[in-house]
Amino acid sequence: GVPITLANGVGVTSIRFTLYYDPALLSITGVGTPLQNAIATVNSHDTALGLSDITVSGMSVTSATATAVVHLVANVPANALYG
């Protein structure tokens, strides 16, 4: 999947963000998290507008280095234009 990372997530227990994307170039089908005991959830998803509201809860990041907190499950549509 496509990783979403935090530069320093120490002390962060949850995040919520809205991802804006071009639905002609990316098709998001789900989310996951590599963090043990964390749960990634898509709260709302509008494929026509290219919006996904995503929450990750139950986080326990112990490293001050960049950490992947979400992996987008996505693909590039076959008819997407290159460039």
Side-chain angles (χ1 to χ4, degrees), residues 24-25 76-83:
L25 301 176
V76 176
N79 62 347
L81 297 176
Y82 178 77

Side-chain angles (χ1 to χ4, degrees), residues 28-33 40-42 54-55 70-73:
I28 298 173
T29 58
V31 295
T33 179
T41 307
V42 177
I54 299 168
T55 298
V70 173
H71 286 155
L72 299 177
V73 180

Side-chain angles (χ1 to χ4, degrees), residues 34-49:
L35 301 175
Q36 187 174 13
N37 299 322
I39 299 170
T41 307
V42 177
N43 304 307
S44 63
H45 185 67
D46 188 325
T47 56
L49 296 176

Side-chain angles (χ1 to χ4, degrees), residues 3-74:
I4 306 288
T5 63
L6 287 178
N8 179 351
V10 173
V12 176
T13 58
S14 67
I15 59 171
R16 183 173 182 174
F17 62 94
T18 301
L19 178 69
Y20 297 87
Y21 62 96
D22 184 341
L25 301 176
L26 189 68
S27 174
I28 298 173
T29 58
V31 295
T33 179
L35 301 175
Q36 187 174 13
N37 299 322
I39 299 170
T41 307
V42 177
N43 304 307
S44 63
H45 185 67
D46 188 325
T47 56
L49 296 176
L51 305 173
S52 284
D53 181 50
I54 299 168
T55 298
V56 181
S57 58
M59 294 170 51
S60 180
V61 179
T62 57
S63 174
T65 61
T67 303
V69 294
V70 173
H71 286 155
L72 299 177
V73 180

